[in-house]
């Protein structure tokens, strides 16, 4: 029926406010169990879009480039994620620009709980959760190599946990502000990896990614500490109420801050190991070149002067 199908594609839990003179109406949205059906529908949409991008764009490029098996897998992964990060970054940045979150950072904790969302904010979160849930069955559909499954499964589950947590605990504003720069950095990385798969000499993008990666980690930690450690601890309405959407209690704040800090520490650890691995490979490649150069110099010295 129409009432049953509309749950799958329309945003649910609409809340309308009117002014005293009933001249203006403001539409907001809450969350609830019906969002599961909406997320499921958009997860199917994400699977369809994934297949279209893979078949009509990435596979055609792969046939022309004739990449190796390892590069083929990396090219497909980075190609899909680059499309998603680009779309999400533009969408998230447009929301921040429209709502003016960055003009007043204290809005992250003032008037908490932020239980009522604008349509575009709720739709953004629904699509984000749906996309990362769709990535789980894609591990089977795309026939990912067994050695790559644990790595991809790890970051997919981290995305699902953090985005869903921000959505349910009414930290949508903070989550949105943290997602936009993070997606921008990930976009640069996967775009750089695409160019690297095509031409191994194209590595300038990784240098830009290295600088921005560290800056975004510091930004994430700073905003998280300010929000959970100082801002929410000083608001006027601390307490726990599921009905009101208020989760401003010490265990929740510590849990959220701990999750963010541990995730950022883990990402920095992976980042440092990645940079050390690249440095070691660079040193190994330089040693044979130095040996060849030294042997050439010795030969030129031994040759008699025929002048």
């Amino acid at each position: 029926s129409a009432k049953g199908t509309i749950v799958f594609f329309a945003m649910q839990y609409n809340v309308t406010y009117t002014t005293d003179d009933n001249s203006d109406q403001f539409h907001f949205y809450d969350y609830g169990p019906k969002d599961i059906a909406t997320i499921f529908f958009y997860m199917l949409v994400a699977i369809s879009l994934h297949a279209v991008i893979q078949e009509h764009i990435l596979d055609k490029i792969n046939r022309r480039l004739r990449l190796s098996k390892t590069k083929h897998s990396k090219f497909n992964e980075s190609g899909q994620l680059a499309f998603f990060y680009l779309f999400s970054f533009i969408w998230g940045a447009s929301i921040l620009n429209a709502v003016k979150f960055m003009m007043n950072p204290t809005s992250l904790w003032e008037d908490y709980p932020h239980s009522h969302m604008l349509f575009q904010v709720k739709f953004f979160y629904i699509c984000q959760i749906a996309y990362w849930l769709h990535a789980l069955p894609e591990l089977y559909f795309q026939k990912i190599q067994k050695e790559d499954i644990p790595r991809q499964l790890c970051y997919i589950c981290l995305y699902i946990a953090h985005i869903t947590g921000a959505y349910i605990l009414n930290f949508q504003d903070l989550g949105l502000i943290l997602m936009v720069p993070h997606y921008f950095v990930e976009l640069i990385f996967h775009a750089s990896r695409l160019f690297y798969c095509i031409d191994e000499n194209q590595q300038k993008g990784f240098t830009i990614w290295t600088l921005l990666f560290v800056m975004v980690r510091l930004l994430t930690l700073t905003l998280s500490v300010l929000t959970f450690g100082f801002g929410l601890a000083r608001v006027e309405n601390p307490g726990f109420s599921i009905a009101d959407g208020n989760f401003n209690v010490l265990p929740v704040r510590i849990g959220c801050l701990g999750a963010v800090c541990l995730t950022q520490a883990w990402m920095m650890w992976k980042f440092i190991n990645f940079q050390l691995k690249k440095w070691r490979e660079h040193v190994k490649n330089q040693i044979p070149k130095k040996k060849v150069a030294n042997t050439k110099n010795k030969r030129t010295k031994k040759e008699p002067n025929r002048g």
Side-chain angles (χ1 to χ4, degrees):
S1 62
K3 292 183 179 180
T5 56
I6 199 172
V7 177
F8 287 90
F9 60 86
M11 298 299 105
Q12 302 299 309
Y13 304 103
N14 183 14
V15 181
T16 303
Y17 291 95
T18 58
T19 57
D20 295 336
D21 56 357
N22 295 327
S23 60
D24 296 326
Q25 290 185 346
F26 301 93
H27 299 280
F28 295 94
Y29 289 83
D30 202 346
Y31 66 83
K34 292 182 181 179
D35 289 341
I36 297 175
T38 312
I39 291 171
F40 176 75
F41 172 78
Y42 286 101
M43 183 182 73
L44 299 180
V45 173
I47 292 175
S48 301
L49 292 175
H50 189 117
V52 169
I53 293 173
Q54 184 66 45
E55 181 177 356
H56 295 283
I57 299 178
L58 298 179
D59 285 347
K60 289 183 179 180
I61 297 175
N62 276 319
R63 293 191 194 101
R64 293 182 179 180
L65 297 177
R66 297 179 180 178
L67 300 174
S68 63
K69 189 175 182 181
T70 303
K71 286 187 176 182
H72 178 82
S73 178
K74 290 181 179 180
F75 188 86
N76 286 338
E77 180 188 2
S78 292
Q80 292 286 350
L81 290 175
F83 276 107
F84 169 73
Y85 287 135
L86 177 61
F87 174 76
S88 298
F89 169 72
I90 295 174
W91 188 7
S94 65
I95 296 175
L96 291 179
N97 182 56
V99 182
K100 305 296 183 183
F101 282 147
M102 298 303 292
M103 299 301 294
N104 185 18
T106 58
S107 62
L108 294 175
W109 56 82
E110 288 181 350
D111 299 326
Y112 180 85
H114 308 134
S115 55
H116 299 311
M117 297 169 279
L118 296 173
F119 170 80
Q120 53 188 344
V121 175
K122 174 160 184 169
F123 192 33
F124 180 82
Y125 270 90
I126 291 292
C127 292
Q128 292 295 313
I129 297 172
Y131 178 86
W132 291 112
L133 285 175
H134 113 280
L136 294 174
E138 286 294 343
L139 295 176
Y140 172 77
F141 295 148
Q142 294 293 317
K143 297 180 180 179
I144 304 299
Q145 298 179 3
K146 291 183 179 180
E147 56 270 19
D148 288 337
I149 290 179
R151 176 183 60 83
Q152 295 191 28
L153 189 62
C154 182
Y155 73 72
I156 290 171
C157 291
L158 284 174
Y159 274 116
I160 294 173
H162 284 74
I163 297 174
T164 306
Y167 183 68
I168 294 176
L169 298 176
N170 289 320
F171 298 128
Q172 298 93 350
D173 297 351
L174 176 64
L176 187 60
I177 291 178
L178 296 182
M179 268 191 282
V180 170
H182 173 76
Y183 281 169
F184 179 69
V185 173
E186 292 299 304
L187 170 63
I188 292 177
F189 173 78
H190 287 284
S192 301
R193 195 160 76 162
L194 287 174
F195 288 113
Y196 177 78
C197 290
I198 298 173
D199 183 5
E200 293 186 356
N201 295 322
Q202 299 292 334
Q203 299 188 22
K204 294 181 180 180
F206 289 113
T207 304
I208 301 174
W209 168 74
T210 300
L211 298 174
L212 293 178
F213 182 89
V214 178
M215 294 173 62
V216 171
R217 301 286 74 76
L218 294 176
L219 174 66
T220 301
L221 289 174
T222 301
L223 289 178
S224 299
V225 171
L226 285 176
T227 302
F228 295 114
F230 297 97
L232 290 173
R234 299 178 181 179
V235 296
E236 297 178 356
N237 57 341
F240 183 83
S241 176
I242 297 179
D244 297 331
N246 192 348
F247 301 95
N248 187 15
V249 291
L250 183 60
V252 174
R253 294 199 303 268
I254 292 177
C256 292
L257 183 60
V260 173
C261 291
L262 287 175
T263 303
Q264 301 307 305
W266 176 77
M267 293 176 68
M268 282 301 301
W269 175 253
K270 299 283 288 184
F271 173 78
I272 293 172
N273 286 335
F274 175 75
Q275 296 298 327
L276 289 176
K277 182 180 179 181
K278 287 186 62 178
W279 179 75
R280 289 167 185 160
E281 291 177 353
H282 177 74
V283 172
K284 288 182 180 179
N285 293 331
Q286 291 297 321
I287 291 176
K289 293 180 180 179
K290 290 182 178 180
K291 289 182 178 179
V292 172
N294 291 332
T295 53
K296 288 183 179 179
N297 291 333
K298 290 179 180 179
R299 288 176 181 176
T300 54
K301 290 180 180 179
K302 290 181 180 180
E303 289 180 356
N305 190 0
R306 297 179 181 179

